[in-house]
Amino acid sequence: MTMDYLWIKALHLVAVMSWLAGMLYLPRLFVYHSMVESNSVRAQTFKLMERRLLKAIMNPAMILSWAFGLWLLHKNPALLVMPWMWVKFICIIMMTAVHMIFARMRRQLERDIALSEKAYRLWNEVPTVLMLIIVIMAVVEPF
């Protein structure tokens, strides 16, 4: 591996960790937000926290994750013939879809339209499952 490939990979990992930190935290904020009275000071605080987390951290981290990941594939296209990479890639697409669902949920909470606490708790598990599959595919390369 060349030094530039390793730098791109390191930046990719930092972006992915930042994205996943947000993906694991945002639905937890939704849980707490759904438990407070709408239009309360606490609800307004949650709205601000959710908006800042999504717009200032998660969105840029997702974009950088994709950019560095695609750059790595461009530099090493042999990865595209490996079955584990396709499983990982499908899970990344699913993670991106979940990110978009979370963005929609945030907009709904901004308008005081909330799902149940239980629904947000279930959604909180989706990024965890996808993350486990992605990491196992990338590290173990099982097939």
Side-chain angles (χ1 to χ4, degrees):
M1 281 188 230
T2 62
M3 188 57 74
D4 64 329
Y5 187 86
L6 293 176
W7 276 103
I8 298 164
K9 190 174 188 179
L11 293 171
H12 174 66
L13 289 172
V14 170
V16 168
M17 286 187 289
S18 300
W19 183 25
L20 286 175
M23 290 294 289
L24 297 172
Y25 186 49
L26 186 62
R28 178 55 45 190
L29 288 175
F30 294 163
V31 170
Y32 299 140
H33 188 161
S34 70
M35 296 167 55
V36 301
E37 190 175 319
S38 61
N39 291 324
S40 67
V41 172
R42 290 180 68 200
Q44 297 307 314
T45 301
F46 281 120
K47 289 177 185 181
L48 179 64
M49 291 170 65
E50 293 156 359
R51 183 173 47 255
R52 286 182 177 170
L53 177 61
L54 186 73
K55 303 243 182 214
I57 297 171
M58 292 172 62
N59 287 347
M62 178 186 66
I63 291 165
L64 289 172
S65 295
W66 271 99
F68 288 126
L70 292 173
W71 195 0
L72 289 169
L73 285 175
H74 174 73
K75 293 187 84 49
N76 188 4
L79 291 171
L80 292 172
V81 299
M82 302 190 182
W84 63 266
M85 178 55 77
W86 286 101
V87 173
K88 178 185 172 199
F89 193 64
I90 289 166
C91 288
I92 293 165
I93 291 169
M94 292 170 66
M95 187 74 78
T96 302
V98 171
H99 179 112
M100 292 177 197
I101 291 167
F102 286 174
R104 187 182 70 221
M105 288 177 178
R106 190 207 62 81
R107 287 190 304 273
Q108 289 173 332
L109 281 164
E110 188 84 32
R111 296 188 316 266
D112 297 320
I113 302 168
L115 300 176
S116 69
E117 172 190 342
K118 185 175 182 175
Y120 291 124
R121 287 184 188 277
L122 288 171
W123 273 106
N124 192 56
E125 303 307 321
V126 176
T128 304
V129 172
L130 290 171
M131 177 185 65
L132 286 170
I133 297 168
I134 292 166
V135 169
I136 289 168
M137 291 301 117
V139 174
V140 178
E141 299 176 13
F143 42 83

